[in-house]
Amino acid sequence: MKADPAAPACPEPPSAAVGAPVSLAISQTARLHRIAAGRLLRDLGLYPGQEFVMMHLWDAGAVRQSELIKAVGLDPSTVTKMLQRLEQSGHVRRSPDPADRRASLVEATDASCALKTQVEQAWERLEEATLAGLDEPEREELHRLLGLVEANLCPQAREAVEQLCQEEGACEG
């Protein structure tokens, strides 16, 4: 489905969100940030979110698919689809876990090493675009405040991922 070029990228806030201005601002900012990230990642052949999978694999090495699902905090079906695309593009490799043949190990391929540098550079450009116009103390304060908000939301997100894993049985092993 193509985006409507006449639709505003920054629409007026919905009346139902008038009592939650901070939540609305975070939601809209996250949407716009994802759009900006998507533009940068598209040039690398990645979809938004796939860079988080790759970042985890570059840092952790081979991990069980179930561990990866929990680490990136996405539902199992989304991670499975991401891994299929990343495997098709040669960035990841999946293999049976020798310790438990029912589980799969996922790892970044050697070919993905060049992609790591490109992702780092894309995220640096995204950071600068995101924080343009803020001086260093404002950047530090924003980072501090967002850390507090993240800490408030993390327990709920962990519960949601655990619930999805239990419902889908995809995070076993």
Side-chain angles (χ1 to χ4, degrees):
M1 183 171 147
K2 286 200 151 226
D4 177 3
C10 302
E12 289 295 316
S15 61
V18 95
V22 173
S23 292
L24 179 62
I26 289 171
S27 178
Q28 289 179 327
T29 301
R31 180 181 60 82
L32 294 169
H33 190 267
R34 187 172 174 91
I35 290 168
R39 292 188 67 186
L40 293 168
L41 295 169
R42 185 175 39 243
D43 295 340
L44 305 180
L46 294 176
Y47 292 91
Q50 288 180 331
E51 80 276 24
F52 291 110
V53 168
M54 293 307 304
M55 288 176 187
H56 184 77
L57 294 175
W58 289 319
D59 288 345
V63 296
R64 285 188 174 179
Q65 187 167 328
S66 58
E67 293 171 30
L68 181 63
I69 289 166
K70 290 176 183 177
V72 297
L74 298 172
D75 68 86
S77 61
T78 299
V79 175
T80 299
K81 186 170 186 168
M82 284 181 174
L83 290 174
Q84 289 169 345
R85 286 181 169 169
L86 289 167
E87 193 171 34
Q88 289 170 356
S89 62
H91 297 307
V92 302
R93 171 177 37 252
R94 288 189 281 186
S95 58
D97 184 343
D100 180 355
R101 305 293 279 172
R102 296 169 298 164
S104 293
L105 288 179
V106 183
E107 62 185 326
T109 62
D110 291 341
S112 76
C113 289
L115 183 64
K116 181 179 180 187
T117 301
Q118 294 173 315
V119 167
E120 289 169 352
Q121 292 169 349
W123 270 79
E124 287 169 6
R125 288 193 304 275
L126 181 60
E127 184 84 352
E128 284 309 309
T130 301
L131 300 177
L134 298 179
D135 62 27
E136 195 56 37
E138 290 170 326
R139 289 175 182 219
E140 290 172 8
E141 181 66 359
L142 178 60
H143 185 243
R144 185 186 74 75
L145 292 171
L146 288 173
L148 294 173
V149 172
E150 181 181 6
N152 289 340
L153 297 175
C154 272
Q156 295 171 29
R158 278 191 205 101
E159 282 181 26
V161 169
E162 285 296 328
Q163 184 176 358
L164 275 171
C165 285
Q166 289 172 0
E167 289 172 2
E168 296 184 22
C171 300
E172 306 302 322

